[in-house]
């Protein structure tokens, strides 16, 4: 799966940051498929394929007996906007597929190899996190209703897969309503019970949730209903995140809880009231922040063991859990836990550090078979920079340690000029409850192959390091994240790995706030790039969508009680302290961070004589999908850094206009 070894050549010495690169903008933007959400039904393997050449349309693809087929023809776009970020846009079981069409939110059914048939939908309704009943007759899912006149209302609903529906007038039959948020409706294998997760404002799903179960009743031709619901975890006044409920074949319920300080698996026996039993306690995360639906951190296997993805120090490790112990297993580089096929093999999305993502099939200890590549890399081994786990000193972390991944410049044909050091691109991930990981990424290699070094910082608040590390950002967003990015830079400078006078910082969404705050707080940075970044916390608290509308309560404080803190932490109030150029890139259809935030920030900087450039993209939301947008954004950002760092810019193409 790795690129071919480099043919030894004498490297040409060129200034860092100016190297010709095998990674073109066309390669990243137009030729690379977005692969995600690998699932299995019997021996069939499914995944979603995002195609930039089709304006980012997402296609459901099936692999069966060596043959790959598109299951959703144009104009279907498999996706959902529940919680704005979506996920869990389809399910497949017993030869049936149910999926959401992102364009209008409607729900569709595919039987066998037939054409899609409408199950339901209605203006203002969105659906996600589908699960078929054991007999395949019904499908359960989360519904988000935007017709309420106020905050969108959540529900778990059921559709009858045998009913011919008017796709414009069928919102499903509601089973659960009331909580602010609902997720993971999962029927038991015998069809007698339903489990789900719920939580309320101001919590996010990584703060505190409840695991609920109810009897699932269905008589004759009637629609199913729930009876006598009870809470299995999360109702004892202890803040804990319980996520990813999943049933074993023998009727036990598993879920991941961070009550120990780490997301670990627990087994629940719903037949009695006995306490949940830890499956295999460990100081590693078996769980991911539930920004999207349908995430998978573990998979029960037919022999009673559990395959799990355990994250430690921000890096993925596969383990088998059996008899209270965790045994490492070699399964290459899954980005989520693999799924089990009926023939005993496994399928997963493989994300190695030295190659682009692939959908693969295989077994532990063997080289997996590639079913679909995101792209065949036109690169030699020496063109690829490998992540180096970076641990640097901090004053406030429990163990005094900060975390990042450092990528030195890498190019098979070029090296830096003697006695010089590379410029550094600092990356602040989004979320801020998210994480950097060492999988191959064009976001990194675009820079390293041109002679830039990159440091991708897992600042306080990142996942993969336990709940206490995540809580470092509580009431401290705009302080701890910035301090950690600065500490990582100072460590690299002290190690003489980067040029201290040529450091730039970039971030998207929440990372944009970190970028702008860092520019105001420190003179380390020569420039910054904010991609659809937060600039006004008060506006974000008042305008953002439901899922994140109370997120700032934990990151900053309750609003409006702590309004002064919101003002002080907002980059908009810090504009007078920024003295270096800034690049803003934003989608005009962004509903998470409206483009007005970038407008206000750019205006405030220009009024103070700070050079900045602002580019807006029609038809783009919170994140860029279209081929033309991705290409242009990459080229603009590269030109911007070269301008501000005094490096030669390309002779042709568009140049950033700073004013």
């Amino acid at each position: 799966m790795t690129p071919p070894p480099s043919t030894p050549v004498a490297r040409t010495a060129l200034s860092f940051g100016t190297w010709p690169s095998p990674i073109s903008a066309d390669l990243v933007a137009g030729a690379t498929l977005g692969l995600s959400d690998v699932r299995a039904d019997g021996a069939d393997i499914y995944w979603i394929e995002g195609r930039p050449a089709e304006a980012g349309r997402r296609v459901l693809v099936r692999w069966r007996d060596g043959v790959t087929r598109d299951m959703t023809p144009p104009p279907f776009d498999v996706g959902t906007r529940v919680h704005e970020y979506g996920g869990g846009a389809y399910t497949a079981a017993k030869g049936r597929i149910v999926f959401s069409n992102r364009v209008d939110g409607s729900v569709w059914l595919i039987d066998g190899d037939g054409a899609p048939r409408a199950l339901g939908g209605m203006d203002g309704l969105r659906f996600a996190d589908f699960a078929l009943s054991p007999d395949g007759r019904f499908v359960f899912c989360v519904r988000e209703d935007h017709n309420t006149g106020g905050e969108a209302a959540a529900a778990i609903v059921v559709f009858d897969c045998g009913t011919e529906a008017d796709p414009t007038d069928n919102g499903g039959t509601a089973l659960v309503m009331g909580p602010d948020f609902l997720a993971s409706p999962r029927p038991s294998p015998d069809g007698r019970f339903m489990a789900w997760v719920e939580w309320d404002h101001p919590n996010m799903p990584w703060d505190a949730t409840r695991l609920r179960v109810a009897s699932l009743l269905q008589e004759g031709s009637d629609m199913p209903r729930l009876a006598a619901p009870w809470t299995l975890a999360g109702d004892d006044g202890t803040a804990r995140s319980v996520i990813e409920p999943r049933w074993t074949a023998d009727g036990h319920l598993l879920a991941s809880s961070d009550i120990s300080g780490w997301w670990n698996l627990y087994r629940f026996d719903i037949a009695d009231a006995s306490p949940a039993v830890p499956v295999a306690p460990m100081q590693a995360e078996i769980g991911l922040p539930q920004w999207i639906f349908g995430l998978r951190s573990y998979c029960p296997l037919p022999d009673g063991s559990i395959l799990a993805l355990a994250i430690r120090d921000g890096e993925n490790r596969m383990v088998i859990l059996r008899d209270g112990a965790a045994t490492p297993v070699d399964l290459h580089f899954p980005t989520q836990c693999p799924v089990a096929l009926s023939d005993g093999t496994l399928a997963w999305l493989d994300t190695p550090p030295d190659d682009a993502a692939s959908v693969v099939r295989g077994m532990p200890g063997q080289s997996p078979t590639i079913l679909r590549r995101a792209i065949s890399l036109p690169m030699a081994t020496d063109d690829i920079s490998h992540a180096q786990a970076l641990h640097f000193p901090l004053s406030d972390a429990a163990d005094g340690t900060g975390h990042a991944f450092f990528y030195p410049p890498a190019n098979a044909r070029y090296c830096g000029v003697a006695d010089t050091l590379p410029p550094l691109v600092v990356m602040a991930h989004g979320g801020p409850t998210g994480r950097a990981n060492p999988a191959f990424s064009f976001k990194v290699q675009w820079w390293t192959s041109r002679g830039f070094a990159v440091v991708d910082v897992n600042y306080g608040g990142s996942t993969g390091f336990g709940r206490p590390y995540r809580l470092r950002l509580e009431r401290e967003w705009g302080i701890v994240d910035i301090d950690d990015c600065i500490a990582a830079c100072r460590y690299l400078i002290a190690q003489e790995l980067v040029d201290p006078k040529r450091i730039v910082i970039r971030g998207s969404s929440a990372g944009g706030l970190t970028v702008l705050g860092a520019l105001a707080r420190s003179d380390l940075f020569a420039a910054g790039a904010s991609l659809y970044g937060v600039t006004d916390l008060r506006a974000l608290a008042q305008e953002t969508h439901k899922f994140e509308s109370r997120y700032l309560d934990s990151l900053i404080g309750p609003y409006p009680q702590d309004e002064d803190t919101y003002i002080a932490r907002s980059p908009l109030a810090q504009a007078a302290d920024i003295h270096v150029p800034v690049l803003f890139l934003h989608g005009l259809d962004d509903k998470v961070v409206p483009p007005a935030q970038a407008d206000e920030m750019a205006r405030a900087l220009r009024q103070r004589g700070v050079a900045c450039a602002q580019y807006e993209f029609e038809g783009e939301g919170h994140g860029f999908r279209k081929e033309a947008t991705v290409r242009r954004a990459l080229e603009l950002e590269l030109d911007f850094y070269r301008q501000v760092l005094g490096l030669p810019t390309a002779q042709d193409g568009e140049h950033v206009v700073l004013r």
Side-chain angles (χ1 to χ4, degrees):
M1 293 180 65
T2 58
S6 304
T7 301
V9 295
R11 285 183 168 91
T12 302
L14 282 180
S15 296
F16 286 111
T18 68
W19 302 346
S21 169
I23 301 177
S24 67
D26 286 338
L27 177 72
V28 179
T32 303
L33 301 174
L35 303 175
S36 63
D37 207 355
V38 176
R39 296 174 183 256
D41 177 19
D44 296 343
I45 302 170
Y46 294 87
W47 65 87
I48 291 179
E49 202 166 281
R51 298 174 178 171
E54 297 182 43
R57 187 175 80 91
R58 283 163 287 206
V59 180
L60 182 61
V61 179
R62 184 188 71 195
W63 180 92
R64 173 184 286 175
D65 297 328
V67 177
T68 302
R69 172 186 170 180
D70 287 1
M71 301 302 293
T72 50
F76 287 111
D77 183 358
V78 180
T80 173
R81 291 182 56 204
V82 178
H83 294 178
E84 296 301 333
Y85 297 109
Y90 82 100
T91 192
K94 300 184 181 300
R96 278 190 155 165
I97 301 166
V98 177
F99 70 93
S100 165
N101 186 32
R102 188 178 187 275
V103 176
D104 60 4
S106 54
V107 180
W108 296 75
L109 171 72
I110 300 174
D111 265 324
D113 290 335
R117 173 171 64 83
L119 272 187
M122 188 184 301
D123 285 347
L125 299 186
R126 304 172 183 177
F127 303 89
D129 215 358
F130 300 97
L132 283 157
S133 61
D135 61 5
R137 177 181 170 185
F138 301 101
V139 63
F140 306 94
C141 61
V142 173
R143 183 183 72 194
E144 191 175 67
D145 184 353
H146 290 257
N147 296 317
T148 60
E151 191 174 69
I156 291 175
V157 302
V158 59
F159 290 99
D160 186 339
C161 294
T163 301
E164 292 284 348
D166 178 352
T168 65
D169 190 27
N170 181 13
T173 299
L175 300 177
V176 182
M177 300 182 72
D180 291 326
F181 300 97
L182 292 155
S184 304
R186 300 292 182 259
S188 62
D190 59 8
R192 296 174 56 208
F193 301 98
M194 170 78 78
W196 69 91
V197 171
E198 62 186 41
W199 68 98
D200 295 306
H201 288 311
N203 291 311
M204 299 298 285
W206 45 84
D207 294 327
T209 63
R210 297 181 295 276
L211 175 61
R212 299 272 281 170
V213 175
S215 295
L216 183 58
L217 306 179
Q218 194 264 324
E219 299 174 1
S221 60
D222 294 341
M223 293 289 281
R225 60 189 177 88
L226 298 181
W230 72 98
T231 301
L232 283 177
D235 234 2
D236 59 359
T238 303
R240 73 179 75 178
S241 170
V242 188
I243 56 174
E244 291 194 54
R246 194 164 285 116
W247 297 89
T248 63
D250 61 2
H252 284 92
L253 181 63
L254 299 171
S256 186
S257 170
D258 68 353
I259 190 66
S260 71
W262 300 85
W263 273 314
N264 278 194
L265 286 185
Y266 290 79
R267 181 178 286 106
F268 298 84
D269 189 343
I270 64 171
D272 57 40
S274 59
V277 177
V279 173
M282 64 182 74
Q283 290 193 339
E285 304 270 38
I286 301 178
L288 295 161
Q290 304 291 291
W291 280 103
I292 62 174
F293 295 99
L295 295 175
R296 185 179 59 255
S297 299
Y298 67 97
C299 176
L301 299 177
D303 65 0
S305 64
I306 301 169
L307 181 65
L309 178 72
I311 306 171
R312 173 78 177 176
D313 289 337
E315 298 187 70
N316 294 351
R317 297 170 174 85
M318 292 305 306
V319 295
I320 290 285
L321 308 181
R322 183 185 288 110
D323 298 328
T327 304
V329 58
D330 177 15
L331 271 172
H332 225 244
F333 301 97
T335 189
Q336 291 190 48
C337 185
V339 292
L341 308 179
S342 57
D343 62 3
T345 60
L346 301 167
W348 67 93
L349 180 63
D350 203 55
T351 54
D354 54 2
D355 201 359
S358 297
V359 177
V360 303
R361 174 174 174 262
M363 291 290 290
Q366 302 176 3
S367 294
T369 300
I370 298 173
L371 309 183
R372 178 80 92 204
R373 289 182 182 272
I375 191 170
S376 294
L377 295 179
M379 305 168 68
T381 301
D382 289 348
D383 287 321
I384 298 172
S385 181
H386 290 257
Q388 301 173 7
L390 193 70
H391 306 291
F392 50 91
L394 294 176
S395 60
D396 72 312
D399 63 355
T401 303
H403 306 274
F405 292 108
F406 175 67
Y407 299 83
N411 192 303
R413 296 185 177 276
Y414 299 95
C415 63
V417 175
D419 299 323
T420 65
L421 293 170
L424 175 66
V425 178
V426 182
M427 293 187 173
H429 65 68
T433 306
R435 70 181 181 115
N437 70 79
F440 178 94
S441 170
F442 280 124
K443 179 185 73 172
V444 170
Q445 304 296 329
W446 170 265
W447 304 109
T448 55
S449 62
R450 287 169 166 78
F452 292 84
V454 169
V455 63
D456 205 355
V457 184
N458 271 315
Y459 50 78
S462 301
T463 56
F465 306 90
R467 187 179 179 101
Y469 195 81
R470 218 164 58 233
L471 291 178
R472 285 184 60 227
L473 207 61
E474 188 171 23
R475 302 290 183 100
E476 296 292 321
W477 187 31
I479 297 177
V480 163
D481 49 323
I482 295 170
D483 287 346
D484 287 8
C485 288
I486 293 171
C489 292
R490 294 199 187 282
Y491 180 81
L492 291 170
I493 292 169
Q495 300 298 309
E496 298 184 348
L497 293 172
V498 300
D499 186 339
K501 297 186 181 300
R502 295 190 296 167
I503 300 176
V504 297
I505 183 169
R506 73 183 304 275
S508 57
S509 189
L513 179 140
T514 303
V515 165
L516 297 168
L519 298 183
R521 286 259 305 278
S522 174
D523 59 3
L524 271 177
F525 306 101
S530 172
L531 286 72
Y532 39 95
V534 176
T535 70
D536 185 346
L537 289 168
R538 287 190 303 175
L540 186 68
Q542 296 167 357
E543 299 172 1
T544 197
H545 59 119
K546 177 188 176 183
F547 180 62
E548 293 184 81
S549 63
R550 299 290 299 279
Y551 187 20
L552 298 183
D553 283 28
S554 61
L555 295 173
I556 303 294
Y559 186 84
Q561 297 94 309
D562 290 341
E563 184 175 22
D564 290 346
T565 306
Y566 277 69
I567 294 171
R569 300 270 185 87
S570 294
L572 192 59
Q574 302 166 2
D577 296 320
I578 297 176
H579 306 289
V580 297
V582 183
L583 173 67
F584 296 94
L585 303 173
H586 218 112
L588 287 174
D589 293 344
D590 194 339
K591 300 295 189 271
V592 178
V593 181
Q597 293 228 358
D599 295 341
E600 290 295 320
M601 190 70 196
R603 187 178 304 116
L605 291 174
R606 287 178 177 133
Q607 287 175 350
R608 291 164 174 80
V610 177
C612 60
Q614 184 182 9
Y615 293 87
E616 297 176 325
F617 302 93
E618 291 186 3
E620 296 286 9
H622 198 63
F624 302 148
R625 295 175 60 201
K626 296 181 180 179
E627 177 182 354
T629 303
V630 174
R631 181 193 303 111
R632 189 180 179 212
L634 283 169
E635 292 177 336
L636 286 170
E637 192 175 353
L638 175 61
D639 184 79
F640 172 67
Y641 294 154
R642 285 178 168 170
Q643 282 192 46
V644 299
L645 296 177
L647 300 171
T649 58
Q651 295 297 315
D652 54 2
E654 185 178 8
H655 293 284
V656 167
V657 178
L658 289 165
R659 59 182 182 86

